Amino acid sequence: MTDKLTSTIRPGGPDDAGAVLGLLDHAIAWLTARGRTGQWGSDPASTDPRRIAQANAYATGGGLHLAMLGDSPVGALVVGAATDDVPPATEPELFVRLLVTDRAHAGLGIGARLLEHAAELARARGLGLLRVDCYGGDDRALVRFYESCGFTATESFTVTRPGRDPWPGQLLIRRLR
């Protein structure tokens, strides 16, 4: 998939865990600079053993796709089965487990292109449902982003983990033709 910016989307692999962590680190720094630490906290993903293990699992699990601008990763998409934190689907689906883009390239539609890529993957598998969960706190800007990409907010939920503030989540769906 190529557009006027000569960006491409390619499958990720075991060597791409560092790229995922780098994208997360930049996103966390951008959010933190704006006082928005509720989504992913303020500590770099690359220093968090849980996030490092998660990035390694994404890179080896077969569901990672990277948006590339030249040789540089500018976005990451991970699709697969839904996480245990969200209400289960009532029909076969593809679930967006991670979407992160490089804020240095904001406004280029990288996130929307990655979500459309996820829809194409779901259609190719004969699936009519694409779901995603996201941070539903603060001003719900992230929820509105997903809605602008054709998703509909459905259920809200809360994730509780020991030693952390509750995380307000929002489940969204997109019906595919």
Side-chain angles (χ1 to χ4, degrees), residues 19-87:
V20 172
L21 289 169
L23 287 164
L24 285 167
D25 282 354
H26 286 113
I28 290 167
W30 185 87
L31 289 165
T32 299
R34 285 149 184 80
R36 301 175 70 98
T37 58
Q39 181 175 342
W40 284 329
S42 59
D43 295 331
S46 60
T47 63
D48 180 343
R50 185 180 69 85
R51 288 278 187 199
I52 294 167
Q54 191 176 51
N56 285 321
Y58 290 156
T60 59
L64 173 62
H65 301 266
L66 294 173
M68 304 294 292
L69 203 54
D71 292 334
S72 300
V74 294
L77 166 76
V78 178
V79 295
T83 63
D84 292 337
D85 295 325
V86 300

Side-chain angles (χ1 to χ4, degrees), residues 142-156:
L142 192 52
V143 174
R144 286 193 305 280
F145 164 75
Y146 284 109
E147 290 173 335
S148 77
C149 293
F151 286 81
T152 301
T154 58
E155 302 171 63
S156 296

Side-chain angles (χ1 to χ4, degrees), residues 1-10 23 65-70 72-78 96 98-120 142 145-146 148-149 151 174:
M1 181 195 280
T2 304
D3 70 8
K4 64 185 182 217
L5 301 169
T6 66
S7 64
T8 58
I9 297 176
R10 69 163 175 83
L23 287 164
H65 301 266
L66 294 173
M68 304 294 292
L69 203 54
S72 300
V74 294
L77 166 76
V78 178
V96 175
L98 175 72
L99 178 70
V100 61
T101 62
D102 184 341
R103 296 302 304 172
H105 300 286
L108 298 182
I110 295 165
R113 283 194 67 230
L114 284 167
L115 289 172
E116 189 53 41
H117 185 70
E120 292 168 9
L142 192 52
F145 164 75
Y146 284 109
S148 77
C149 293
F151 286 81
R174 179 176 168 195

Side-chain angles (χ1 to χ4, degrees), residues 38-39 85-87 132-138 140 142-143 153-160 165-172:
Q39 181 175 342
D85 295 325
V86 300
V132 64
D133 73 320
C134 72
Y135 180 66
D138 296 328
R140 295 179 58 85
L142 192 52
V143 174
T154 58
E155 302 171 63
S156 296
F157 61 97
T158 302
V159 177
T160 55
D165 289 338
W167 189 85
Q170 178 66 58
L171 185 63
L172 299 100

